[in-house]
Amino acid sequence: STPSLQQLITGAQNDSDFLTKSNCKEEEDLTTSPTSDAVFCDGRKHGSLFSLNSTCTESGNFGKANITGEIEFALRYIFKACLLEICIKGCKNLAYGEEKKKKCNPYVKVYLLPDKSPRSKRKTAVKKSTVDPEFDETLKYKIEYSQLRSRQLQISVWHAGALKYRVFLGEVVIPLAAWNFEEDSMLLFDWYQLKPKLEKPEDDLIQYSGELVVSARLSVPAQYKNFHAPVSGNKDQGVPSCQLQVMVFGAKNLPMLRSAGMLNSFVKG
């Protein structure tokens, strides 16, 4: 049966109340959750849905300290699982994030360049009031080995201040093309000197845009199967008319457009 006008109005009001309560609940969860990344950037408060905290820091909205200290970590690639592991051991002799207060709450943030989107970010927990933190955490990326040669690992150390204010404490950029991943069963920890922030380390990379799976074959008429081109004379004389056939099976690891968040792809030859 067709609902009356009053029933439609009542139903719309109920839906509106439900959505309002749901939105309020989501905001409450966002602001009260201890893992929330609600931040203040450019005078506006943002939530953690798109990790705008990192967006602020990557756009230059952060403090800078005198870069000192080192970071200890190890890399391992598990071939069977296509898994890259970054084992963060700790840091030593870090600069103070707030020099006047002699305060430092360090944590480590990792990006697999050139991808600097939220899905590429990994980070450790924050260690309170120390310039020699011990993390003992393993950060992981699911990535095929063939992609590693076009990637760099950006490992940076940050100070977590009040109101989500961040101070850059130094970084290490590792070109994975030159890294030896043959022995995936061993974890060799080493100390690396922290350095000032590079402007755009991803500019030095060969841009990786995914992979295309294709198959190609040359179709030759049956009567020309054993055809050999003449050694001399007119080489075009008697050459069979062949056909090159290309089969496109699919693609993988295509870059995602940040603005739309969707990907509609096609192949053009």
Side-chain angles (χ1 to χ4, degrees), residues 68-85:
T68 63
E70 302 173 66
I71 181 171
E72 184 182 16
F73 63 86
L75 303 182
R76 177 173 67 174
Y77 187 79
I78 303 176
F79 287 87
K80 291 183 179 180
C82 294
L83 201 64
L84 175 64
E85 294 186 344

Side-chain angles (χ1 to χ4, degrees), residues 7 12 21 34-35 73 120 160-161 176 192 203 210 213 259 261:
Q7 288 175 328
K21 291 179 181 178
T35 59
F73 63 86
S120 175
L176 297 180
Y192 298 84
D203 288 348
V213 184
S259 58

Side-chain angles (χ1 to χ4, degrees), residues 54-265:
S54 293
T55 303
C56 294
T57 57
E58 295 306 328
S59 63
N61 189 11
F62 57 85
K64 298 180 181 179
N66 294 324
I67 308 302
T68 63
E70 302 173 66
I71 181 171
E72 184 182 16
F73 63 86
L75 303 182
R76 177 173 67 174
Y77 187 79
I78 303 176
F79 287 87
K80 291 183 179 180
C82 294
L83 201 64
L84 175 64
E85 294 186 344
I86 305 98
C87 305
I88 309 295
K89 189 75 172 178
C91 302
K92 63 181 180 181
N93 303 322
L94 294 177
Y96 287 107
E98 299 176 48
E99 181 64 33
K100 293 182 179 180
K101 298 180 180 179
K102 300 298 180 184
K103 189 175 182 180
C104 186
N105 302 324
Y107 68 97
V108 177
K109 182 168 62 175
V110 177
Y111 280 104
L112 196 55
L113 301 179
D115 188 0
K116 301 198 75 172
S117 65
R119 68 177 180 178
S120 175
K121 185 185 71 172
R122 307 288 188 273
K123 63 180 180 179
T124 67
V126 177
K127 301 298 180 179
K128 297 289 186 178
S129 304
T130 177
V131 293
D132 301 299
E134 294 183 1
F135 297 102
D136 292 320
E137 293 189 39
T138 300
L139 310 177
K140 301 179 181 181
Y141 287 95
K142 186 77 171 181
I143 181 173
E144 295 185 14
Y145 184 73
S146 61
Q147 298 182 36
L148 292 181
R149 295 187 61 83
S150 61
R151 299 298 186 99
Q152 287 184 349
L153 202 61
Q154 183 187 53
I155 303 176
S156 56
V157 185
W158 298 79
H159 160 72
L163 296 177
K164 300 296 182 180
Y165 179 65
R166 300 295 184 248
V167 178
F168 177 74
L169 301 178
E171 73 176 10
V172 176
V173 178
I174 304 293
L176 297 180
W179 197 270
N180 183 15
F181 289 106
E182 296 304 321
E183 299 182 8
D184 60 353
S185 60
M186 298 180 63
L187 284 177
L188 301 178
F189 286 91
D190 203 353
W191 287 96
Y192 298 84
Q193 186 71 38
L194 291 172
K195 298 180 180 180
K197 195 172 188 65
L198 295 176
E199 290 299 326
K200 289 186 177 181
E202 60 271 20
D203 288 348
D204 297 331
L205 292 173
I206 300 174
Q207 293 297 319
Y208 177 84
S209 300
E211 300 174 32
L212 193 64
V213 184
V214 300
S215 174
R217 73 169 184 172
L218 185 65
S219 179
V220 182
Q223 63 270 28
Y224 294 103
K225 290 293 183 182
N226 299 320
F227 175 81
H228 296 283
V231 178
S232 60
N234 188 0
K235 295 184 178 181
D236 294 333
Q237 184 178 3
V239 175
S241 177
C242 303
Q243 186 181 52
L244 178 63
Q245 299 176 348
V246 180
M247 178 73 72
V248 180
F249 291 98
K252 58 182 179 179
N253 304 317
L254 296 178
M256 185 70 69
L257 298 178
R258 296 185 185 179
S259 58
M262 300 178 63
L263 186 62
N264 298 320
S265 58

